Short mmCIF file of all heavy atoms in Angstrom, two decimals:
data_model
loop_
_atom_site.label_atom_id
_atom_site.label_comp_id
_atom_site.label_asym_id
_atom_site.label_seq_id
_atom_site.Cartn_x
_atom_site.Cartn_y
_atom_site.Cartn_z
N VAL Y 24 13.06 67.80 -120.23
CA VAL Y 24 12.09 68.58 -121.00
C VAL Y 24 12.77 69.84 -121.52
O VAL Y 24 13.46 70.53 -120.79
CB VAL Y 24 10.88 68.96 -120.12
CG1 VAL Y 24 9.89 69.80 -120.92
CG2 VAL Y 24 10.21 67.70 -119.58
N SER Y 25 12.58 70.12 -122.80
CA SER Y 25 13.09 71.35 -123.39
C SER Y 25 11.97 72.04 -124.16
O SER Y 25 11.01 71.40 -124.57
CB SER Y 25 14.28 71.07 -124.31
OG SER Y 25 13.91 70.18 -125.34
N GLY Y 26 12.10 73.35 -124.30
CA GLY Y 26 11.10 74.10 -125.02
C GLY Y 26 9.88 74.47 -124.20
O GLY Y 26 8.95 75.10 -124.71
N TYR Y 27 9.86 74.09 -122.96
CA TYR Y 27 8.75 74.41 -122.06
C TYR Y 27 9.24 74.24 -120.63
O TYR Y 27 9.93 73.28 -120.32
CB TYR Y 27 7.56 73.49 -122.30
CG TYR Y 27 6.34 73.87 -121.50
CD1 TYR Y 27 5.43 74.82 -121.97
CD2 TYR Y 27 6.09 73.29 -120.26
CE1 TYR Y 27 4.33 75.19 -121.23
CE2 TYR Y 27 5.00 73.66 -119.50
CZ TYR Y 27 4.13 74.61 -120.00
OH TYR Y 27 3.04 74.99 -119.24
N SER Y 28 8.86 75.16 -119.76
CA SER Y 28 9.25 75.07 -118.36
C SER Y 28 8.25 74.25 -117.58
O SER Y 28 7.05 74.57 -117.54
CB SER Y 28 9.36 76.47 -117.75
OG SER Y 28 9.56 76.37 -116.35
N ILE Y 29 8.72 73.18 -116.96
CA ILE Y 29 7.84 72.35 -116.13
C ILE Y 29 7.15 73.19 -115.08
O ILE Y 29 5.99 72.97 -114.71
CB ILE Y 29 8.64 71.21 -115.48
CG1 ILE Y 29 9.00 70.14 -116.52
CG2 ILE Y 29 7.88 70.59 -114.33
CD1 ILE Y 29 9.80 68.97 -115.97
N ARG Y 30 7.88 74.23 -114.61
CA ARG Y 30 7.35 75.10 -113.55
C ARG Y 30 6.10 75.84 -114.01
O ARG Y 30 5.30 76.31 -113.19
CB ARG Y 30 8.45 76.08 -113.14
CG ARG Y 30 8.20 76.80 -111.84
CD ARG Y 30 9.38 77.70 -111.50
NE ARG Y 30 10.50 76.96 -110.95
CZ ARG Y 30 11.71 76.94 -111.48
NH1 ARG Y 30 11.96 77.61 -112.60
NH2 ARG Y 30 12.69 76.27 -110.91
N SER Y 31 5.90 75.93 -115.32
CA SER Y 31 4.75 76.68 -115.84
C SER Y 31 3.43 75.92 -115.67
O SER Y 31 2.35 76.51 -115.82
CB SER Y 31 4.96 77.02 -117.31
OG SER Y 31 6.08 77.87 -117.48
N GLY Y 32 3.53 74.61 -115.41
CA GLY Y 32 2.30 73.87 -115.17
C GLY Y 32 2.19 72.58 -115.94
O GLY Y 32 3.15 72.09 -116.51
N TYR Y 33 0.99 72.02 -115.90
CA TYR Y 33 0.62 70.77 -116.56
C TYR Y 33 1.19 69.56 -115.82
O TYR Y 33 2.08 69.66 -114.99
CB TYR Y 33 1.03 70.73 -118.04
CG TYR Y 33 0.45 71.89 -118.80
CD1 TYR Y 33 1.26 72.74 -119.52
CD2 TYR Y 33 -0.92 72.15 -118.77
CE1 TYR Y 33 0.73 73.83 -120.19
CE2 TYR Y 33 -1.46 73.24 -119.44
CZ TYR Y 33 -0.62 74.07 -120.15
OH TYR Y 33 -1.14 75.14 -120.81
N TYR Y 34 0.65 68.43 -116.15
CA TYR Y 34 1.13 67.17 -115.60
C TYR Y 34 2.13 66.55 -116.56
O TYR Y 34 2.09 66.79 -117.77
CB TYR Y 34 -0.04 66.21 -115.37
CG TYR Y 34 -0.79 66.46 -114.08
CD1 TYR Y 34 -1.87 67.32 -114.03
CD2 TYR Y 34 -0.40 65.84 -112.90
CE1 TYR Y 34 -2.56 67.55 -112.84
CE2 TYR Y 34 -1.07 66.05 -111.71
CZ TYR Y 34 -2.15 66.92 -111.69
OH TYR Y 34 -2.81 67.15 -110.52
N TRP Y 35 2.99 65.73 -116.00
CA TRP Y 35 4.04 65.06 -116.75
C TRP Y 35 3.97 63.58 -116.41
O TRP Y 35 3.94 63.23 -115.22
CB TRP Y 35 5.39 65.67 -116.42
CG TRP Y 35 5.37 67.14 -116.68
CD1 TRP Y 35 4.94 68.12 -115.83
CD2 TRP Y 35 5.68 67.79 -117.92
NE1 TRP Y 35 4.98 69.35 -116.45
CE2 TRP Y 35 5.43 69.17 -117.72
CE3 TRP Y 35 6.14 67.35 -119.16
CZ2 TRP Y 35 5.64 70.10 -118.75
CZ3 TRP Y 35 6.36 68.28 -120.16
CH2 TRP Y 35 6.11 69.63 -119.95
N GLY Y 36 3.92 62.75 -117.41
CA GLY Y 36 3.61 61.36 -117.15
C GLY Y 36 4.60 60.35 -117.71
O GLY Y 36 5.43 60.66 -118.58
N TRP Y 37 4.52 59.16 -117.13
CA TRP Y 37 5.27 58.01 -117.62
C TRP Y 37 4.28 56.96 -118.12
O TRP Y 37 3.27 56.67 -117.44
CB TRP Y 37 6.14 57.42 -116.52
CG TRP Y 37 7.31 58.28 -116.13
CD1 TRP Y 37 7.38 59.12 -115.06
CD2 TRP Y 37 8.56 58.38 -116.82
NE1 TRP Y 37 8.60 59.75 -115.04
CE2 TRP Y 37 9.34 59.30 -116.10
CE3 TRP Y 37 9.09 57.76 -117.95
CZ2 TRP Y 37 10.64 59.63 -116.50
CZ3 TRP Y 37 10.37 58.10 -118.35
CH2 TRP Y 37 11.13 59.03 -117.62
N ILE Y 38 4.58 56.39 -119.26
CA ILE Y 38 3.75 55.35 -119.88
C ILE Y 38 4.72 54.26 -120.36
O ILE Y 38 5.84 54.57 -120.78
CB ILE Y 38 2.97 55.90 -121.10
CG1 ILE Y 38 2.15 57.13 -120.70
CG2 ILE Y 38 2.09 54.85 -121.72
CD1 ILE Y 38 2.78 58.45 -121.12
N ARG Y 39 4.29 53.02 -120.30
CA ARG Y 39 5.16 51.96 -120.80
C ARG Y 39 4.40 51.04 -121.74
O ARG Y 39 3.17 50.99 -121.73
CB ARG Y 39 5.79 51.17 -119.67
CG ARG Y 39 4.82 50.31 -118.86
CD ARG Y 39 5.57 49.58 -117.76
NE ARG Y 39 4.69 48.71 -116.98
CZ ARG Y 39 5.11 47.96 -115.98
NH1 ARG Y 39 6.39 47.97 -115.60
NH2 ARG Y 39 4.25 47.17 -115.33
N GLN Y 40 5.17 50.32 -122.55
CA GLN Y 40 4.59 49.41 -123.53
C GLN Y 40 5.46 48.16 -123.62
O GLN Y 40 6.52 48.19 -124.24
CB GLN Y 40 4.48 50.10 -124.90
CG GLN Y 40 3.77 49.28 -125.96
CD GLN Y 40 3.49 50.10 -127.20
OE1 GLN Y 40 4.27 50.96 -127.60
NE2 GLN Y 40 2.35 49.85 -127.84
N PRO Y 41 5.00 47.05 -123.03
CA PRO Y 41 5.75 45.78 -123.18
C PRO Y 41 5.80 45.37 -124.64
O PRO Y 41 4.90 45.74 -125.42
CB PRO Y 41 4.93 44.80 -122.34
CG PRO Y 41 4.14 45.66 -121.40
CD PRO Y 41 3.84 46.91 -122.17
N PRO Y 42 6.80 44.63 -125.02
CA PRO Y 42 6.94 44.22 -126.43
C PRO Y 42 5.67 43.55 -126.95
O PRO Y 42 5.17 42.60 -126.35
CB PRO Y 42 8.12 43.25 -126.39
CG PRO Y 42 8.91 43.66 -125.21
CD PRO Y 42 7.92 44.14 -124.20
N GLY Y 43 5.14 44.08 -128.04
CA GLY Y 43 3.98 43.49 -128.69
C GLY Y 43 2.67 43.71 -127.95
O GLY Y 43 1.65 43.13 -128.33
N LYS Y 44 2.68 44.56 -126.93
CA LYS Y 44 1.47 44.76 -126.14
C LYS Y 44 1.03 46.22 -126.16
O LYS Y 44 1.64 47.06 -126.82
CB LYS Y 44 1.70 44.28 -124.71
CG LYS Y 44 1.96 42.78 -124.61
CD LYS Y 44 2.00 42.32 -123.16
CE LYS Y 44 2.23 40.82 -123.10
NZ LYS Y 44 2.27 40.34 -121.68
N GLY Y 45 -0.03 46.49 -125.43
CA GLY Y 45 -0.59 47.83 -125.40
C GLY Y 45 0.09 48.74 -124.40
O GLY Y 45 0.99 48.35 -123.67
N LEU Y 46 -0.36 49.98 -124.37
CA LEU Y 46 0.22 51.01 -123.52
C LEU Y 46 -0.38 50.96 -122.12
O LEU Y 46 -1.56 50.64 -121.94
CB LEU Y 46 -0.05 52.39 -124.14
CG LEU Y 46 0.61 52.64 -125.49
CD1 LEU Y 46 -0.15 53.70 -126.28
CD2 LEU Y 46 2.05 53.06 -125.29
N GLU Y 47 0.44 51.29 -121.14
CA GLU Y 47 0.00 51.31 -119.73
C GLU Y 47 0.49 52.58 -119.06
O GLU Y 47 1.69 52.89 -119.10
CB GLU Y 47 0.55 50.10 -118.99
CG GLU Y 47 0.19 50.07 -117.51
CD GLU Y 47 0.84 48.93 -116.76
OE1 GLU Y 47 1.99 48.56 -117.11
OE2 GLU Y 47 0.23 48.43 -115.80
N CYS Y 48 -0.41 53.30 -118.45
CA CYS Y 48 -0.02 54.49 -117.68
C CYS Y 48 0.64 54.06 -116.39
O CYS Y 48 0.10 53.23 -115.66
CB CYS Y 48 -1.24 55.35 -117.36
SG CYS Y 48 -1.79 56.37 -118.71
N ILE Y 49 1.80 54.66 -116.11
CA ILE Y 49 2.52 54.35 -114.87
C ILE Y 49 2.19 55.38 -113.80
O ILE Y 49 1.86 55.04 -112.67
CB ILE Y 49 4.04 54.34 -115.14
CG1 ILE Y 49 4.40 53.26 -116.16
CG2 ILE Y 49 4.81 54.15 -113.82
CD1 ILE Y 49 5.84 53.33 -116.63
N GLY Y 50 2.30 56.63 -114.15
CA GLY Y 50 2.02 57.69 -113.19
C GLY Y 50 2.23 59.05 -113.78
O GLY Y 50 2.88 59.22 -114.81
N ASN Y 51 1.63 60.04 -113.14
CA ASN Y 51 1.75 61.45 -113.54
C ASN Y 51 2.23 62.27 -112.36
O ASN Y 51 1.95 61.94 -111.21
CB ASN Y 51 0.39 62.02 -113.96
CG ASN Y 51 -0.08 61.53 -115.31
OD1 ASN Y 51 0.58 60.72 -115.95
ND2 ASN Y 51 -1.24 62.00 -115.73
N ILE Y 52 2.90 63.37 -112.66
CA ILE Y 52 3.32 64.29 -111.60
C ILE Y 52 3.10 65.72 -112.07
O ILE Y 52 3.31 66.04 -113.24
CB ILE Y 52 4.79 64.05 -111.20
CG1 ILE Y 52 5.15 64.87 -109.96
CG2 ILE Y 52 5.75 64.32 -112.36
CD1 ILE Y 52 6.44 64.43 -109.29
N TYR Y 53 2.64 66.56 -111.14
CA TYR Y 53 2.47 67.98 -111.41
C TYR Y 53 3.75 68.70 -110.98
O TYR Y 53 4.55 68.15 -110.23
CB TYR Y 53 1.27 68.50 -110.63
CG TYR Y 53 0.71 69.81 -111.08
CD1 TYR Y 53 0.33 70.02 -112.40
CD2 TYR Y 53 0.55 70.87 -110.18
CE1 TYR Y 53 -0.20 71.23 -112.81
CE2 TYR Y 53 0.02 72.08 -110.58
CZ TYR Y 53 -0.35 72.26 -111.89
OH TYR Y 53 -0.87 73.46 -112.30
N HIS Y 54 3.92 69.93 -111.44
CA HIS Y 54 5.17 70.63 -111.13
C HIS Y 54 5.32 70.89 -109.63
O HIS Y 54 6.42 71.07 -109.13
CB HIS Y 54 5.27 71.94 -111.91
CG HIS Y 54 4.29 72.99 -111.47
ND1 HIS Y 54 4.62 73.99 -110.58
CD2 HIS Y 54 3.00 73.21 -111.80
CE1 HIS Y 54 3.58 74.77 -110.38
NE2 HIS Y 54 2.58 74.31 -111.12
N THR Y 55 4.21 70.84 -108.91
CA THR Y 55 4.28 71.04 -107.46
C THR Y 55 4.72 69.78 -106.73
O THR Y 55 4.99 69.81 -105.53
CB THR Y 55 2.90 71.44 -106.92
OG1 THR Y 55 1.96 70.42 -107.28
CG2 THR Y 55 2.45 72.77 -107.51
N GLY Y 56 4.74 68.67 -107.46
CA GLY Y 56 5.11 67.40 -106.86
C GLY Y 56 3.93 66.47 -106.61
O GLY Y 56 4.12 65.32 -106.21
N ARG Y 57 2.73 66.96 -106.84
CA ARG Y 57 1.55 66.10 -106.67
C ARG Y 57 1.59 64.98 -107.70
O ARG Y 57 1.85 65.23 -108.88
CB ARG Y 57 0.28 66.91 -106.85
CG ARG Y 57 -0.99 66.09 -106.69
CD ARG Y 57 -2.23 66.95 -106.84
NE ARG Y 57 -3.45 66.17 -106.62
CZ ARG Y 57 -4.68 66.68 -106.71
NH1 ARG Y 57 -4.86 67.94 -107.03
NH2 ARG Y 57 -5.73 65.91 -106.49
N THR Y 58 1.33 63.78 -107.24
CA THR Y 58 1.44 62.62 -108.14
C THR Y 58 0.16 61.80 -108.19
O THR Y 58 -0.65 61.80 -107.26
CB THR Y 58 2.58 61.69 -107.70
OG1 THR Y 58 2.32 61.24 -106.37
CG2 THR Y 58 3.93 62.38 -107.76
N TYR Y 59 -0.01 61.13 -109.30
CA TYR Y 59 -1.00 60.08 -109.47
C TYR Y 59 -0.22 58.85 -109.90
O TYR Y 59 0.57 58.91 -110.84
CB TYR Y 59 -2.02 60.44 -110.54
CG TYR Y 59 -2.98 61.52 -110.13
CD1 TYR Y 59 -2.68 62.86 -110.36
CD2 TYR Y 59 -4.19 61.22 -109.52
CE1 TYR Y 59 -3.57 63.85 -110.00
CE2 TYR Y 59 -5.08 62.21 -109.15
CZ TYR Y 59 -4.76 63.52 -109.39
OH TYR Y 59 -5.63 64.51 -109.03
N SER Y 60 -0.45 57.73 -109.24
CA SER Y 60 0.28 56.51 -109.56
C SER Y 60 -0.69 55.39 -109.87
O SER Y 60 -1.74 55.28 -109.23
CB SER Y 60 1.17 56.08 -108.40
OG SER Y 60 2.11 57.09 -108.09
N ASN Y 61 -0.34 54.56 -110.84
CA ASN Y 61 -1.15 53.39 -111.14
C ASN Y 61 -1.14 52.48 -109.90
O ASN Y 61 -0.07 52.10 -109.43
CB ASN Y 61 -0.58 52.66 -112.35
CG ASN Y 61 -1.51 51.59 -112.87
OD1 ASN Y 61 -2.11 50.84 -112.09
ND2 ASN Y 61 -1.63 51.50 -114.19
N PRO Y 62 -2.31 52.15 -109.39
CA PRO Y 62 -2.36 51.32 -108.17
C PRO Y 62 -1.60 50.01 -108.30
O PRO Y 62 -1.08 49.50 -107.30
CB PRO Y 62 -3.86 51.08 -107.96
CG PRO Y 62 -4.52 52.25 -108.62
CD PRO Y 62 -3.66 52.56 -109.81
#
Side-chain angles (χ1 to χ4, degrees):
Chain Y
V24 179
S25 58
Y27 186 86
S28 172
I29 286 180
R30 195 177 282 121
S31 297
Y33 304 125
Y34 279 90
W35 304 86
W37 290 99
I38 306 102
R39 68 181 182 179
Q40 186 171 35
K44 296 187 178 180
L46 296 156
E47 178 185 34
C48 281
I49 299 171
N51 286 3
I52 188 165
Y53 197 55
H54 69 96
T55 58
R57 180 179 183 181
T58 59
Y59 288 89
S60 300
N61 191 318

